[in-house]
Amino acid sequence: MTNNARMDSQGKTLPGFTADGLLPAGDYVLSLDELRRSQLVTGPEDLMAYPHWDEAWRGKLVENLAVLVRQLWQVGITEVRIVCRGQGTSE
């Protein structure tokens, strides 16, 4: 399942988290700027339900990813895919 996510009228690039606090299964295509602005960094709408959400740490992870991606671009790699597998996935 591939979801070529782009911003909707509310500025969201991803679907909301499920009741279990996860993204629905699928692939989501995001630019680094879209990732920075996404709820994967800024957090879900109900941050009170996630008292240990660390936006600064998540932002730093994206900045580190951006450094790596720029280095790959410099050596001619033009497409970078980041794959994250959550707990309980068999892939």
Side-chain angles (χ1 to χ4, degrees):
M1 174 187 209
T2 298
N3 299 308
N4 290 322
R6 290 292 173 222
M7 258 186 232
D8 64 16
S9 61
Q10 297 175 335
K12 294 183 180 179
T13 56
L14 296 171
F17 291 113
T18 66
D20 295 322
L22 306 171
L23 281 178
D27 297 333
Y28 302 96
V29 178
L30 296 133
S31 69
L32 287 168
D33 286 335
E34 289 168 332
L35 180 58
R36 282 183 192 98
R37 292 189 307 268
S38 77
Q39 74 259 22
L40 296 174
V41 175
T42 62
E45 290 182 21
D46 182 15
L47 276 176
M48 298 300 286
Y50 301 89
H52 301 292
W53 193 271
D54 192 342
E55 183 176 348
W57 176 75
R58 289 167 178 264
K60 181 66 175 171
L61 291 176
V62 174
E63 291 309 312
N64 290 343
L65 174 62
V67 169
L68 173 63
V69 168
R70 282 191 296 273
Q71 291 170 345
L72 292 170
W73 288 342
Q74 288 176 350
V75 297
I77 297 171
T78 59
E79 186 172 313
V80 179
R81 295 173 188 251
I82 308 303
V83 178
C84 300
R85 301 267 187 233
Q87 290 180 325
T89 60
S90 59
E91 298 176 51

